[in-house]
């Protein structure tokens, strides 16, 4: 019998694959102070009905955006019973949604309107119902219409263990993406 080895995902320090790693030459934009308004504007664009951040969406995540530092975004969700998969534990899809929301916030902080093109997630520890997931996301670079964003969710406190990591490509879109009738 072979000795147990540390899992590959535990050894990795980033969720980013080759696809979600920015190419050489991608740069992190200097933040335009006006860019902070973009995600406030997103309330107008998306309404307050967003499953990730709508404050009145009963069974939604109601993610709170609690701060920013340049293109780095901070947020929190409280995992509710409606978010569970296995008894007492958050569903993985729900955690991916939380990561999508905070990574999306970082993308918008770069100064455009973005949608998720690709989202990669690593799950490192179970997240109990009732716990707060402390979210952080940052921009690794923008190239053309693509923003390469990474993030993590911690439990037990903002400096607690990382329970989930994600990396994504967000693609910049015009306002019509949200407003056109389909
Ligand atoms: C503050 C607000 C926070 C919001 C958080 C929540 C975010 C969300 O959940 S958004 C909802 C989920 N996402 C969606 O519905 C997006 C659906 N997809 C689309 O609308 C389109 O496919 C879209 C807009 C992403 C790209 O289409 P299009 O505008 O025609 O651009 P396209 O030319 O295909 O792609 C542009 C670039 O992005 C790249 N790209 C597009 N999709 C991907 C992908 N999945 N993976 C990697 N790269 C991609 C392309 O390769 C291309 O790169 P390059 O410029 O180097 O050639």
């Amino acid at each position: 019998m072979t000795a147990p080895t540390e899992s590959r995902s535990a050894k990795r320090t980033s969720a980013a694959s080759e696809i979600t790693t920015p190419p050489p030459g991608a740069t992190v934009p200097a933040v335009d102070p006006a860019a902070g308004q973009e995600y406030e504007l997103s309330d107008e664009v998306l309404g307050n009905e967003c499953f990730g951040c709508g404050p009145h969406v009963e069974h939604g995540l109601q993610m709170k955006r609690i701060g920013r530092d340049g293109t780095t975004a901070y947020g929190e969700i409280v995992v509710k019973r409606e978010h569970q998969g296995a008894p007492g534990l958050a569903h993985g899809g729900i955690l991916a949604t939380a990561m999508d929301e905070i990574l999306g916030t970082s993308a918008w902080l770069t100064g455009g309107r973005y949608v998720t093109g690709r989202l990669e997630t690593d799950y490192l520890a179970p997240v109990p119902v009732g716990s707060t997931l402390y979210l952080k996301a940052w921009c690794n670079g923008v190239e053309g219409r693509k923003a390469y964003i990474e993030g993590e969710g911690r439990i037990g406190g903002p400096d607690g263990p990382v329970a989930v990591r994600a990396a994504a490509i967000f693609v910049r879109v015009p306002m019509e993406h949200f407003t056109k009738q389909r």
Side-chain angles (χ1 to χ4, degrees), residues 39 65 100 104 108 115-118 145-146 169 171 173 177:
Y39 70 70
R65 296 188 172 92
D100 191 17
W108 282 56
V115 292
T116 325
R118 180 183 179 89
R145 291 173 57 204
K146 291 172 293 183
I169 292 178
V171 181
V173 292
H177 179 94

Side-chain angles (χ1 to χ4, degrees), residues 85-130:
L89 298 175
H91 193 290
I94 289 288
L95 298 175
T97 304
M99 298 314 294
D100 191 17
E101 193 66 34
I102 195 67
L103 269 65
T105 304
S106 172
W108 282 56
L109 286 174
T110 67
R113 298 181 181 87
Y114 283 86
V115 292
T116 325
R118 180 183 179 89
L119 179 68
E120 298 166 356
T121 314
D122 278 336
Y123 300 95
L124 306 177
V127 178
V129 169

Side-chain angles (χ1 to χ4, degrees), residues 7 36 62:
S7 73
Q62 300 180 344

Side-chain angles (χ1 to χ4, degrees), residues 19-32:
I19 299 173
T20 51
T21 298
T27 53
V28 179
V31 176
D32 173 352

